[in-house]
Amino acid sequence: MKHSFLDKYSNLDSPVHRLDPRVKTVTALILIIIIVSETRGALFPFLFYIPVVAVLVAVSRIPWSYILKRCLIVAPFILLTALFYPISNMLASDYRPQGQYNHDYMVGLSIFLKAYSALILLILLTSSAKFHNLLLGLRKLKMPKLIGIISALMYRYVFLIHDEILKTNMARDSRTTGKLKMSRLKVFGNQSAMVFIRSFERSQTLYNSMLSRGFNGEFPSMSKLSVKGKELLLPGVLIFLMLVIRLANQNIQNYLFN
Amino acid sequence: MAAGVKIEKLSFSYTTDKQVLKEVSLEINPGEKLGIIGRSGAGKSTLLLHLNGILNGSGHISIDGIKVEKRSLYQVRKKVGLVFQNPDDQLFNPTVEEDVAFGPLNFGLSCEETKKRVRDALRAMNLEGMEKSVSHHLSLGERKRVALATVLAMQPEVIAFDEPFSSLDPEMVVQLIDIIQKLDATLIVVSQSLLPMLACCSRLAVIRDGVIVADGTTREIVTNRELMKSSGMDLSFYRELFRDYF
Amino acid sequence: MAAGVKIEKLSFSYTTDKQVLKEVSLEINPGEKLGIIGRSGAGKSTLLLHLNGILNGSGHISIDGIKVEKRSLYQVRKKVGLVFQNPDDQLFNPTVEEDVAFGPLNFGLSCEETKKRVRDALRAMNLEGMEKSVSHHLSLGERKRVALATVLAMQPEVIAFDEPFSSLDPEMVVQLIDIIQKLDATLIVVSQSLLPMLACCSRLAVIRDGVIVADGTTREIVTNRELMKSSGMDLSFYRELFRDYF
Amino acid sequence: MHISDGIIDINVCIAAGAVSIGLVYLSGRNTSVEEIPRMGMMGAALFVASLIHFPLAGTSMHLGLFGIAGIILGKRSFPPVFAALLFQSLIFQHGGLVTLGVNSINMGAGAFAAWLIWKSAFMNENIRALLAGFLGIIIPVLLMAVEFRLSGYGRGIVYLFSVYLLAAGIESIITLGAVRFIRKVKPGLLT
Ligand SMILES: Nc1ncnc2c1ncn2[C@@H]1O[C@H](COP(=O)(O)OP(=O)(O)OP(=O)(O)O)[C@@H](O)[C@H]1O
Ligand SMILES: Nc1ncnc2c1ncn2[C@@H]1O[C@H](COP(=O)(O)OP(=O)(O)OP(=O)(O)O)[C@@H](O)[C@H]1O
Ligand SMILES: [Mg+2]
Ligand SMILES: [Mg+2]
């Protein structure tokens, strides 16, 4: 995990990027809930949701190619679970009327659309802010203190593990003088176990070093977060708009189809 | 400001089968500069790790009259700065700057004051321009210097240096000796580099297999050939080299 | 057996904004013992890491006539042993014994032969009795010695030592110098401990900011005060100390 | 095994979210300073393990290590599991934000079950390690099946989960290896 991948587009300047990480997180969470809680099988509302999400991405100036690439990582799983909605019902031996099957496909499709919209919002959230600012924001949002410390440590320890992996690879390679003559399983097993244990021990020593420099559960930071009233405008409007769509489309749909 | 350190009958073992420290007692006056020397594996690092409560052996340690124990740890750690032997045990923040700022910020210094301390410490260690570098992408000598800076920036009353001169170039060693000499703190230095120790410490203690076998002024200890030899510190070889080249 | 090493116009950078090695060329004859000195951060470790293909800069390196490149790596690593500056970069097996045996076993040596090599290497490094110890539960000096043992046990034709003397006690340094002097291999030693280098190396190269600025016999280089001073290697301070104490 | 947002019923998600916050507090009560780095490290290890993919039965699987988490951290394994899933969700969108509670309850339960087996001292340690690794995967999968059923999926969903039997088998062997290694090198790590 390289910084460059993690924070690749977090340095752009856009209204989305400028939002305080706390505001951004809460907004993303509300928008996701609005979309995800949409009635099952309803496809019509996505005529509104998808453009809203698309506009947000455009505003953020993060390239679509990048967003879609990141979608690809989980896309197969989402596709699979969406497909499995109708399939799981077909596989069950219960008798179901034909119309029911059509409805199942609609539900499957709506699951797919929901999951994808939520996914894009999540990607937007995480790629428009530095990851450690996001964590800082979450800590300031009164996420349980324990989770706050753990995740702040984790952020460091992930790099530590990465570091240990590189080191042991280097150690192994520098003395690998031909095809491994010992069982590969043993060498790699030993190595991964050592990475695991050494990381544990180093995390302990590093933590000691933190304690010896006065750490008491709070990571000090020289950059302060502050939210000005007008920063809430964009997210406020956005949430309002989405809520209106969410409530109104029910009526529009009823009006159109009944 | 400087504080006194008192170690009484400190014993410690990592595993049940071997005792690493055996009833070590040492008293260090405020402002004193003590060097501890001894063979590799004698227990020097283990001793230093006790000073700010990272390890807990049996026996008593007090800093400035405060007993080192669980509930006094925060206070003790504010007084005692420890530079680890291996800088990789010490650096954990993404950038050099953040690492050096960590201690001062934790002890409640203002942003302004912290920034000043960071700047000063980095300058003292010839690290200007490396503020934004990733700590673990530096050379070992550079990391050692960052580790030293993290502790210097805290301006503790007692500083324990574990092998501070290793991996530093001779020029930097001289610079560090100068800094150490000027420090207004009680100092405990462990190092295998004897020459710089001679310049820094007015008193030397010799540790062998977890026991303090000698303790006296630097001159007393160093000129005691017998003692030096039996503790693995024979310098006659160097003397020959020096004679030969200079 | 010993092999020659040829480095031609080697350049390397970790990041795009700074070149760490700049067209370094060096030719080392079979059996020669070359020391490389220079300030912390000059690029010494980076240079050594190229010798057995852990880093890949532009330029050519050949060992015993074999070009160091992807498909010759196994062959090259059979010839070149590298002792890392930080022993934690070197040790990756659970116990000391397994770590030392890793190289020889990979060579395809028999169990018997491997055991003998392990025993000899551990004895040379004063590590008898530590065979079953967990490598990363040792003191730094002990780990350094294990790291040295892992490479000595492979009996390579070219050995690159990165800071082999740091964290070793003076007695052990003398012992290591003796081992190095007797080694029948081409040797490249990087160290900030100048005195042991004087005893080990017949030739010194000085590197400054990634450029080799001088290269000559040890006496030539060391007695060139101007050069030593400008490369951060001024020893006059030590001389004073030595005069004072001995 | 990570459920994305939008897949299962929102009410299940919200209820699980609330319960998981409660569990974080409950399992983190009276944590001592010494336990913190272990928890952080375990979280990091879980996260890193999830990055290591291997192909299995046509899809790509990754290690869970929930069994090991349970063995090493015991009742303290929930907060690291939660934090690791938060990371996975934020960094790779492995699992969603709204489903964070559901996912962490599933996998946390796996770790918890592993711990229960591990500390029940009535069998050979090796067998307990095997079982712990197995439960670490299979419990989350069972819970997931229940949640899918609650969200309207048909009973046929069980077929999908049979794939995970294989993963659980692999996981249990890895857990055994890890436990034996830790026993040799750093026994203090095992609870
Ligand atoms: N992994 C890395 N990523 C980026 N830069 C690095 C990395 N390793 C080293 N550097 C930089 O390359 C330069 C040379 O490093 P190198 O380790 O070769 O120095 P060195 O001469 O061995 O110093 P020392 O005596 O301190 O060990 C240094 O300025 C260092 O900051
Ligand atoms: N984590 C550990 N677990 C078990 N034994 C240890 C551990 N750390 C050190 N030891 C042992 O304790 C003894 C003293 O170690 P210590 O690190 O204090 O030595 P030292 O005097 O600092 O040596 P050096 O000069 O090599 O740094 C050594 O024999 C070492 O093997
Ligand atoms: Mg030590
Ligand atoms: Mg180096």
Side-chain angles (χ1 to χ4, degrees), chain C residues 2-8 26-32 34 51 61-65 68 80 157-159 186-188 203:
Chain C
V5 176
K6 196 166 173 181
I7 302 171
E8 283 173 294
L26 268 178
E27 192 156 345
I28 307 151
N29 298 324
E32 199 171 17
L34 167 74
L51 289 184
I61 303 181
S62 62
I63 310 289
D64 206 11
V68 178
V80 181
E157 298 172 39
V158 178
I159 307 190
T186 308
L187 224 78
I188 304 164
R203 174 180 160 203

mmCIF file of all heavy atoms in Angstrom, chain C residues 2-8 26-32 34 51 61-65 68 80 157-159 186-188 203:
data_model
loop_
_atom_site.group_PDB
_atom_site.id
_atom_site.type_symbol
_atom_site.label_atom_id
_atom_site.label_comp_id
_atom_site.label_asym_id
_atom_site.label_seq_id
_atom_site.Cartn_x
_atom_site.Cartn_y
_atom_site.Cartn_z
ATOM 1 N N ALA C 2 38.704 -15.612 -4.837
ATOM 2 C CA ALA C 2 38.218 -14.232 -4.814
ATOM 3 C C ALA C 2 37.889 -13.814 -6.240
ATOM 4 O O ALA C 2 38.454 -14.352 -7.187
ATOM 5 C CB ALA C 2 39.274 -13.316 -4.221
ATOM 6 N N ALA C 3 36.945 -12.900 -6.368
ATOM 7 C CA ALA C 3 36.531 -12.476 -7.701
ATOM 8 C C ALA C 3 36.649 -10.971 -7.814
ATOM 9 O O ALA C 3 36.586 -10.252 -6.826
ATOM 10 C CB ALA C 3 35.084 -12.909 -7.944
ATOM 11 N N GLY C 4 36.810 -10.498 -9.019
ATOM 12 C CA GLY C 4 36.901 -9.064 -9.218
ATOM 13 C C GLY C 4 35.537 -8.419 -9.365
ATOM 14 O O GLY C 4 34.563 -9.075 -9.725
ATOM 15 N N VAL C 5 35.482 -7.135 -9.081
ATOM 16 C CA VAL C 5 34.208 -6.410 -9.196
ATOM 17 C C VAL C 5 34.446 -5.193 -10.055
ATOM 18 O O VAL C 5 35.470 -4.513 -9.925
ATOM 19 C CB VAL C 5 33.713 -5.943 -7.807
ATOM 20 C CG1 VAL C 5 32.444 -5.121 -7.940
ATOM 21 C CG2 VAL C 5 33.517 -7.128 -6.888
ATOM 22 N N LYS C 6 33.525 -4.945 -10.970
ATOM 23 C CA LYS C 6 33.684 -3.787 -11.829
ATOM 24 C C LYS C 6 32.370 -3.013 -11.852
ATOM 25 O O LYS C 6 31.327 -3.558 -12.200
ATOM 26 C CB LYS C 6 34.056 -4.265 -13.231
ATOM 27 C CG LYS C 6 34.612 -3.184 -14.095
ATOM 28 C CD LYS C 6 35.276 -3.797 -15.321
ATOM 29 C CE LYS C 6 35.696 -2.721 -16.284
ATOM 30 N NZ LYS C 6 36.313 -3.292 -17.472
ATOM 31 N N ILE C 7 32.428 -1.760 -11.473
ATOM 32 C CA ILE C 7 31.232 -0.918 -11.487
ATOM 33 C C ILE C 7 31.477 0.199 -12.491
ATOM 34 O O ILE C 7 32.505 0.879 -12.425
ATOM 35 C CB ILE C 7 30.989 -0.297 -10.094
ATOM 36 C CG1 ILE C 7 30.856 -1.405 -9.044
ATOM 37 C CG2 ILE C 7 29.751 0.586 -10.089
ATOM 38 C CD1 ILE C 7 30.836 -0.889 -7.626
ATOM 39 N N GLU C 8 30.558 0.348 -13.432
ATOM 40 C CA GLU C 8 30.744 1.384 -14.447
ATOM 41 C C GLU C 8 29.559 2.321 -14.541
ATOM 42 O O GLU C 8 28.433 1.896 -14.793
ATOM 43 C CB GLU C 8 30.951 0.727 -15.824
ATOM 44 C CG GLU C 8 32.327 0.160 -16.032
ATOM 45 C CD GLU C 8 32.374 -0.606 -17.343
ATOM 46 O OE1 GLU C 8 31.681 -1.649 -17.438
ATOM 47 O OE2 GLU C 8 33.054 -0.154 -18.268
ATOM 48 N N LEU C 26 34.033 2.099 -10.297
ATOM 49 C CA LEU C 26 35.036 1.555 -9.387
ATOM 50 C C LEU C 26 35.474 0.210 -9.929
ATOM 51 O O LEU C 26 34.646 -0.563 -10.401
ATOM 52 C CB LEU C 26 34.439 1.325 -8.002
ATOM 53 C CG LEU C 26 34.503 2.406 -6.926
ATOM 54 C CD1 LEU C 26 33.790 1.917 -5.694
ATOM 55 C CD2 LEU C 26 35.938 2.779 -6.602
ATOM 56 N N GLU C 27 36.748 -0.065 -9.844
ATOM 57 C CA GLU C 27 37.182 -1.392 -10.246
ATOM 58 C C GLU C 27 37.935 -1.998 -9.074
ATOM 59 O O GLU C 27 38.819 -1.368 -8.505
ATOM 60 C CB GLU C 27 38.081 -1.305 -11.484
ATOM 61 C CG GLU C 27 38.303 -2.658 -12.102
ATOM 62 C CD GLU C 27 38.653 -2.518 -13.588
ATOM 63 O OE1 GLU C 27 38.438 -1.411 -14.150
ATOM 64 O OE2 GLU C 27 39.116 -3.486 -14.157
ATOM 65 N N ILE C 28 37.544 -3.184 -8.677
ATOM 66 C CA ILE C 28 38.163 -3.794 -7.511
ATOM 67 C C ILE C 28 38.757 -5.134 -7.941
ATOM 68 O O ILE C 28 38.048 -5.990 -8.475
ATOM 69 C CB ILE C 28 37.139 -3.995 -6.392
ATOM 70 C CG1 ILE C 28 36.431 -2.659 -6.117
ATOM 71 C CG2 ILE C 28 37.805 -4.509 -5.126
ATOM 72 C CD1 ILE C 28 35.039 -2.822 -5.607
ATOM 73 N N ASN C 29 40.029 -5.288 -7.729
ATOM 74 C CA ASN C 29 40.716 -6.501 -8.175
ATOM 75 C C ASN C 29 40.394 -7.680 -7.261
ATOM 76 O O ASN C 29 40.082 -7.483 -6.093
ATOM 77 C CB ASN C 29 42.222 -6.277 -8.184
ATOM 78 C CG ASN C 29 42.595 -5.181 -9.152
ATOM 79 O OD1 ASN C 29 41.983 -5.054 -10.221
ATOM 80 N ND2 ASN C 29 43.576 -4.366 -8.775
ATOM 81 N N PRO C 30 40.513 -8.882 -7.792
ATOM 82 C CA PRO C 30 40.274 -10.052 -6.955
ATOM 83 C C PRO C 30 41.177 -10.006 -5.723
ATOM 84 O O PRO C 30 42.360 -9.714 -5.834
ATOM 85 C CB PRO C 30 40.665 -11.226 -7.862
ATOM 86 C CG PRO C 30 40.513 -10.702 -9.241
ATOM 87 C CD PRO C 30 40.832 -9.255 -9.185
ATOM 88 N N GLY C 31 40.588 -10.226 -4.564
ATOM 89 C CA GLY C 31 41.371 -10.269 -3.341
ATOM 90 C C GLY C 31 41.673 -8.918 -2.724
ATOM 91 O O GLY C 31 42.200 -8.829 -1.621
ATOM 92 N N GLU C 32 41.329 -7.863 -3.424
ATOM 93 C CA GLU C 32 41.603 -6.536 -2.882
ATOM 94 C C GLU C 32 40.655 -6.226 -1.730
ATOM 95 O O GLU C 32 39.551 -6.755 -1.668
ATOM 96 C CB GLU C 32 41.439 -5.486 -3.990
ATOM 97 C CG GLU C 32 42.130 -4.163 -3.665
ATOM 98 C CD GLU C 32 42.121 -3.226 -4.878
ATOM 99 O OE1 GLU C 32 41.328 -3.479 -5.814
ATOM 100 O OE2 GLU C 32 42.889 -2.276 -4.881
ATOM 101 N N LEU C 34 38.870 -3.120 -0.212
ATOM 102 C CA LEU C 34 38.572 -1.699 -0.431
ATOM 103 C C LEU C 34 37.636 -1.163 0.644
ATOM 104 O O LEU C 34 36.623 -1.797 0.984
ATOM 105 C CB LEU C 34 37.905 -1.529 -1.805
ATOM 106 C CG LEU C 34 37.258 -0.172 -2.076
ATOM 107 C CD1 LEU C 34 38.311 0.893 -2.330
ATOM 108 C CD2 LEU C 34 36.299 -0.252 -3.262
ATOM 109 N N LEU C 51 25.384 -4.305 -5.448
ATOM 110 C CA LEU C 51 26.357 -5.352 -5.770
ATOM 111 C C LEU C 51 25.725 -6.716 -5.944
ATOM 112 O O LEU C 51 26.191 -7.521 -6.732
ATOM 113 C CB LEU C 51 27.447 -5.422 -4.699
ATOM 114 C CG LEU C 51 28.413 -4.248 -4.714
ATOM 115 C CD1 LEU C 51 29.496 -4.454 -3.691
ATOM 116 C CD2 LEU C 51 29.021 -4.085 -6.098
ATOM 117 N N ILE C 61 27.353 -3.349 -13.751
ATOM 118 C CA ILE C 61 28.154 -3.934 -12.680
ATOM 119 C C ILE C 61 28.463 -5.347 -13.107
ATOM 120 O O ILE C 61 27.578 -6.057 -13.600
ATOM 121 C CB ILE C 61 27.371 -3.975 -11.361
ATOM 122 C CG1 ILE C 61 26.918 -2.567 -10.982
ATOM 123 C CG2 ILE C 61 28.230 -4.565 -10.251
ATOM 124 C CD1 ILE C 61 26.167 -2.519 -9.688
ATOM 125 N N SER C 62 29.696 -5.755 -12.932
ATOM 126 C CA SER C 62 29.964 -7.168 -13.177
ATOM 127 C C SER C 62 30.820 -7.747 -12.065
ATOM 128 O O SER C 62 31.669 -7.062 -11.496
ATOM 129 C CB SER C 62 30.594 -7.390 -14.544
ATOM 130 O OG SER C 62 31.824 -6.727 -14.589
ATOM 131 N N ILE C 63 30.513 -8.974 -11.734
ATOM 132 C CA ILE C 63 31.230 -9.679 -10.684
ATOM 133 C C ILE C 63 31.935 -10.849 -11.363
ATOM 134 O O ILE C 63 31.263 -11.689 -11.967
ATOM 135 C CB ILE C 63 30.243 -10.262 -9.642
ATOM 136 C CG1 ILE C 63 29.254 -9.217 -9.154
ATOM 137 C CG2 ILE C 63 31.014 -10.924 -8.496
ATOM 138 C CD1 ILE C 63 29.822 -8.165 -8.266
ATOM 139 N N ASP C 64 33.232 -10.874 -11.277
ATOM 140 C CA ASP C 64 33.970 -11.975 -11.861
ATOM 141 C C ASP C 64 33.600 -12.131 -13.343
ATOM 142 O O ASP C 64 33.489 -13.237 -13.864
ATOM 143 C CB ASP C 64 33.592 -13.265 -11.102
ATOM 144 C CG ASP C 64 34.709 -14.290 -11.186
ATOM 145 O OD1 ASP C 64 35.804 -13.910 -11.639
ATOM 146 O OD2 ASP C 64 34.480 -15.450 -10.807
ATOM 147 N N GLY C 65 33.349 -11.002 -13.988
ATOM 148 C CA GLY C 65 32.994 -11.043 -15.398
ATOM 149 C C GLY C 65 31.521 -11.281 -15.694
ATOM 150 O O GLY C 65 31.091 -11.135 -16.837
ATOM 151 N N VAL C 68 25.729 -8.198 -13.625
ATOM 152 C CA VAL C 68 24.634 -8.296 -12.662
ATOM 153 C C VAL C 68 23.351 -7.872 -13.348
ATOM 154 O O VAL C 68 23.164 -6.713 -13.694
ATOM 155 C CB VAL C 68 24.874 -7.384 -11.440
ATOM 156 C CG1 VAL C 68 23.706 -7.476 -10.476
ATOM 157 C CG2 VAL C 68 26.161 -7.752 -10.741
ATOM 158 N N VAL C 80 28.463 -13.165 -4.239
ATOM 159 C CA VAL C 80 28.550 -11.957 -3.424
ATOM 160 C C VAL C 80 27.743 -12.102 -2.136
ATOM 161 O O VAL C 80 26.555 -12.383 -2.159
ATOM 162 C CB VAL C 80 27.988 -10.741 -4.188
ATOM 163 C CG1 VAL C 80 28.111 -9.486 -3.344
ATOM 164 C CG2 VAL C 80 28.698 -10.581 -5.506
ATOM 165 N N GLU C 157 32.793 -15.222 -2.540
ATOM 166 C CA GLU C 157 34.045 -14.752 -3.136
ATOM 167 C C GLU C 157 34.206 -13.248 -2.981
ATOM 168 O O GLU C 157 35.298 -12.724 -2.983
ATOM 169 C CB GLU C 157 34.081 -15.120 -4.625
ATOM 170 C CG GLU C 157 34.051 -16.613 -4.838
ATOM 171 C CD GLU C 157 33.892 -16.954 -6.307
ATOM 172 O OE1 GLU C 157 34.492 -16.262 -7.144
ATOM 173 O OE2 GLU C 157 33.141 -17.904 -6.607
ATOM 174 N N VAL C 158 33.054 -12.572 -2.893
ATOM 175 C CA VAL C 158 33.083 -11.126 -2.675
ATOM 176 C C VAL C 158 32.219 -10.861 -1.449
ATOM 177 O O VAL C 158 31.102 -11.361 -1.371
ATOM 178 C CB VAL C 158 32.489 -10.374 -3.878
ATOM 179 C CG1 VAL C 158 32.479 -8.877 -3.605
ATOM 180 C CG2 VAL C 158 33.252 -10.703 -5.147
ATOM 181 N N ILE C 159 32.754 -10.108 -0.499
ATOM 182 C CA ILE C 159 31.906 -9.764 0.642
ATOM 183 C C ILE C 159 31.786 -8.260 0.745
ATOM 184 O O ILE C 159 32.790 -7.538 0.668
ATOM 185 C CB ILE C 159 32.470 -10.287 1.981
ATOM 186 C CG1 ILE C 159 32.757 -11.789 1.886
ATOM 187 C CG2 ILE C 159 31.464 -10.044 3.103
ATOM 188 C CD1 ILE C 159 33.087 -12.411 3.216
ATOM 189 N N THR C 186 37.387 -11.029 -2.029
ATOM 190 C CA THR C 186 37.433 -9.602 -2.324
ATOM 191 C C THR C 186 36.513 -8.922 -1.319
ATOM 192 O O THR C 186 35.442 -9.423 -1.027
ATOM 193 C CB THR C 186 36.899 -9.348 -3.744
ATOM 194 O OG1 THR C 186 37.600 -10.208 -4.621
ATOM 195 C CG2 THR C 186 37.094 -7.912 -4.136
ATOM 196 N N LEU C 187 36.948 -7.778 -0.825
ATOM 197 C CA LEU C 187 36.215 -7.187 0.271
ATOM 198 C C LEU C 187 35.862 -5.741 -0.003
ATOM 199 O O LEU C 187 36.700 -4.963 -0.453
ATOM 200 C CB LEU C 187 37.117 -7.216 1.486
ATOM 201 C CG LEU C 187 36.425 -7.647 2.733
ATOM 202 C CD1 LEU C 187 36.273 -9.136 2.697
ATOM 203 C CD2 LEU C 187 37.256 -7.230 3.889
ATOM 204 N N ILE C 188 34.629 -5.373 0.301
ATOM 205 C CA ILE C 188 34.264 -3.966 0.215
ATOM 206 C C ILE C 188 33.655 -3.604 1.548
ATOM 207 O O ILE C 188 32.643 -4.177 1.951
ATOM 208 C CB ILE C 188 33.265 -3.739 -0.919
ATOM 209 C CG1 ILE C 188 33.882 -4.265 -2.208
ATOM 210 C CG2 ILE C 188 32.932 -2.269 -1.057
ATOM 211 C CD1 ILE C 188 32.890 -4.456 -3.293
ATOM 212 N N ARG C 203 43.037 -0.068 0.495
ATOM 213 C CA ARG C 203 42.677 0.997 -0.438
ATOM 214 C C ARG C 203 41.405 1.654 0.063
ATOM 215 O O ARG C 203 40.529 0.986 0.612
ATOM 216 C CB ARG C 203 42.450 0.368 -1.809
ATOM 217 C CG ARG C 203 41.940 1.306 -2.880
ATOM 218 C CD ARG C 203 41.767 0.534 -4.188
ATOM 219 N NE ARG C 203 40.861 1.229 -5.077
ATOM 220 C CZ ARG C 203 40.182 0.659 -6.060
ATOM 221 N NH1 ARG C 203 40.315 -0.659 -6.276
ATOM 222 N NH2 ARG C 203 39.388 1.355 -6.834
#
